[in-house]
Amino acid sequence: MIRRAGLIVLLLSCWLRAAGGYAAEVHNVRVWIAPDHARLVFDLSSEVQHKLFTLKKPDRIVLDVSDASLQSNLETVDLSGSPVSLIRSGSRNGGKDLRIVLDLKEHVKPKSFALKPNDQYGHRLVLDLYRDVAPEAPQKTAVASADDPAALRDIVIAIDAGHGGEDPGAIGPGRVKEKTVVLGIARELNALLQKERGFQPKLTRDGDYYISLRSRTERARKMNADMFVSIHADGFRDHRARGASVWVLSPRGASSEMGRWLAQKENSADLIGGVGGVSLEDKDDVLAKVLLDMSMTASRSDSRDIARSIHKNMSKFAKMHKKRVEQAGFVVLKSPDIPSILVETGFITNHDEAAKLKSKAYQRKMAEAIFAGIKAHFSAKPPALTWLAWQKEGRGTTRATPSSYKVVRGDTLSVIASRNGVSLSALRKANGLSNADQILVGQVLKIPAS
């Protein structure tokens, strides 16, 4: 009889839990710090209802979670670098509900929302705290002058490392994460472009935090970017899948984005045409459509040129998924006026490619392939009012006699040739090198006149 009663209690307990009779539990709190906001993620045992409000003097944020209990130690949460000085909790309504209070050390705009379970996490409650960040000053668009090269602007390259923070992307053997690998490649590309005169690279993220897809293209627009390159690593349930790929916007994706821009033109502050662009807001529908179509056509043409060059460079050392540049309607490719490409650097779920992708040497090699493609395109077709355009017009100083270059760690002969505007064959000939292209750190190379 006692056993039967115990069984009844157990079954009743399971039924109450399934019916929501027991409180949801908060098991863990994670904090992600971005330049413009901090994200707090509360891991939950089940879906919850919550309310958010703020209090003044002192500034606090209050999160009331219905029918929930805390099963985590808030004192262990690392709040360094966040706008929160202290996080504490208490119970309400006779212990049925949970109240979480965040004491603030600076003014923020809070936003909360729930996330459903995915492959990595269960139910979550997200609290974003947006800081007051001064808007980035617009880049100067001074008129170029042969007598004043200092007035010329650099070509801005927006480098976008995919995923981040709560979103790890694909995960490979040994728990290597896409978000970590692609940030490493993005930083390598950023370093290469920083060394190249006439270019100004800018990272959409330079840390482990999440940025929404639309926010990534919005950031590129605020940067006045001349090009946007998004870096990813593929994942697939079949671990045999392998190969890198380069993507541009498909015709269908371009068509849908044009429709979105035209539909919101009356209420949008967005411009087309890059630096010093054109607003669609005051244009009639026909003219707006013509301007947008011209901008997207030019942008997609440049995107394809850059993508083909990068695809060719990558194919020299990496297995490519397809023999040509591929097309899709990815959101991050949908800037109407900014040439945009997406580079899938390989399948991180493939054991061999994962081992390569987490290697710093391979990350640099991948960055060099992207860098060489970007440089080749903009050297041939530099935007107006840029230092590279001024150089192309023959106003810059050219070398009449050979110079030299000392090899540093990570250099390759092809990258040295690209940086100095000379052909690989000319560089080989000037230094008596064979096709093996073997160079040593510290070796001094002659750079022939370009």
Side-chain angles (χ1 to χ4, degrees):
M1 188 70 181
I2 294 175
R3 288 182 179 177
R4 181 179 296 178
L7 180 60
I8 292 172
V9 169
L10 178 61
L11 291 173
L12 181 61
S13 171
C14 292
W15 180 83
L16 286 170
R17 182 176 294 275
Y22 279 16
E25 297 176 343
V26 178
H27 288 297
N28 186 40
V29 184
R30 298 188 301 280
V31 181
W32 308 96
I33 306 299
D36 61 344
H37 73 282
R39 169 167 287 190
L40 281 73
V41 182
F42 300 86
D43 287 320
L44 308 170
S45 62
S46 60
E47 192 173 4
V48 297
Q49 299 292 321
H50 76 282
K51 291 182 180 178
L52 174 72
F53 60 94
T54 60
L55 297 172
K56 299 287 187 183
K57 297 181 180 181
D59 288 345
R60 287 154 290 162
I61 293 173
V62 180
L63 201 62
D64 280 342
V65 187
S66 301
D67 201 20
S69 63
L70 180 67
Q71 302 297 320
S72 177
N73 183 5
L74 296 180
E75 293 181 0
T76 63
V77 179
D78 184 6
L79 298 172
S80 56
S82 80
V84 181
S85 59
L86 180 67
I87 180 170
R88 47 199 170 89
S89 68
S91 59
R92 299 177 63 250
N93 298 333
K96 182 181 178 183
D97 299 335
L98 172 66
R99 169 165 285 184
I100 297 174
V101 180
L102 285 74
D103 296 332
L104 301 174
K105 52 190 177 185
E106 61 184 89
H107 176 71
V108 295
K109 294 179 180 178
K111 178 183 178 183
S112 62
F113 56 93
L115 287 177
K116 294 182 182 287
N118 61 18
D119 292 340
Q120 303 298 321
Y121 303 106
H123 286 281
R124 288 152 292 161
L125 179 60
V126 178
L127 177 61
D128 282 337
L129 308 177
Y130 289 93
R131 291 178 155 110
D132 292 328
V133 179
E136 190 172 347
Q139 192 166 344
K140 293 181 180 179
T141 57
V143 176
S145 167
D147 300 322
D148 186 19
L152 300 163
R153 70 176 185 87
D154 290 333
I155 294 170
V156 178
I157 307 297
I159 307 170
D160 177 53
H163 307 279
E166 189 70 3
D167 174 17
I171 297 178
R175 303 295 297 172
V176 57
K177 297 176 181 176
E178 178 183 359
K179 67 175 183 178
T180 305
V181 166
V182 297
L183 181 59
I185 297 171
R187 285 172 170 166
E188 292 285 357
L189 177 58
N190 183 70
L192 289 169
L193 286 165
Q194 280 182 334
K195 295 176 183 177
E196 190 67 31
R197 185 171 181 185
F199 288 93
Q200 182 182 8
K202 294 187 178 183
L203 294 162
T204 59
R205 75 172 177 97
D206 192 16
D208 189 12
Y209 47 86
Y210 176 76
I211 309 172
S212 69
L213 297 178
R214 286 287 178 190
S215 294
R216 294 170 187 269
T217 56
E218 289 170 5
R219 290 187 181 205
R221 177 155 280 100
K222 290 177 181 177
M223 295 169 183
N224 289 324
D226 295 280
M227 182 199 165
F228 176 90
V229 52
S230 191
I231 303 172
H232 292 257
D234 257 324
F236 195 61
R237 60 182 177 274
D238 187 343
H239 294 179
R240 293 173 298 178
R242 58 195 295 255
S245 53
V246 185
W247 297 78
V248 295
L249 185 61
S250 66
R252 181 176 295 181
S255 177
S256 67
E257 188 65 9
M258 179 180 290
R260 192 183 78 89
W261 270 63
L262 291 172
Q264 68 173 12
K265 75 182 182 70
E266 300 296 336
N267 302 314
S268 175
D270 283 340
L271 302 176
I272 62 169
V275 180
V278 177
S279 172
L280 297 178
E281 188 177 4
D282 57 346
K283 309 296 187 297
D284 63 50
D285 291 348
V286 174
L287 180 56
K289 186 174 182 179
V290 169
L291 291 171
L292 192 56
D293 182 62
M294 291 173 62
S295 182
M296 293 196 77
T297 298
S299 173
R300 290 183 62 214
S301 175
D302 286 342
S303 299
R304 288 191 295 269
D305 287 346
I306 301 170
R308 281 193 288 262
S309 180
I310 291 175
H311 187 284
K312 182 179 178 181
N313 295 339
M314 290 168 59
S315 68
K316 295 175 182 177
F317 63 88
K319 174 179 172 55
M320 303 306 292
H321 193 245
K322 292 286 178 64
K323 292 182 178 180
R324 62 187 64 84
V325 172
E326 300 176 68
Q327 300 183 70
F330 296 128
V331 172
V332 291
L333 298 177
K334 290 187 174 183
S335 290
D337 55 342
I338 304 175
S340 303
I341 67 168
L342 185 145
V343 179
E344 293 280 7
T345 53
F347 277 82
I348 203 168
T349 47
N350 178 278
H351 188 274
D352 292 338
E353 292 195 343
K356 290 179 180 178
L357 286 168
K358 67 181 181 181
S359 156
K360 289 293 183 184
Y362 194 79
Q363 290 176 13
R364 182 176 179 84
K365 186 177 287 189
M366 191 62 70
E368 287 172 348
I370 300 171
F371 163 79
I374 292 171
K375 181 180 177 183
H377 172 81
F378 285 106
S379 295
K381 293 177 62 178
L385 309 182
T386 61
W387 185 85
L388 279 183
W390 183 74
Q391 283 284 94
K392 187 174 174 61
E393 291 170 4
R395 297 178 182 179
T397 303
T398 58
R399 291 189 301 272
T401 57
S403 63
S404 62
Y405 175 81
K406 188 174 183 180
V407 177
V408 299
R409 186 175 299 278
D411 273 338
T412 65
L413 203 64
S414 60
V415 169
I416 295 171
S418 178
R419 282 183 193 155
N420 290 276
V422 298
S423 69
L424 186 57
S425 59
L427 187 59
R428 285 190 188 121
K429 184 177 180 181
N431 292 276
L433 298 174
S434 67
N435 291 337
D437 292 349
Q438 291 182 348
I439 53 177
L440 302 173
V441 174
Q443 180 179 352
V444 177
L445 299 175
K446 294 180 180 179
I447 307 297
S450 60

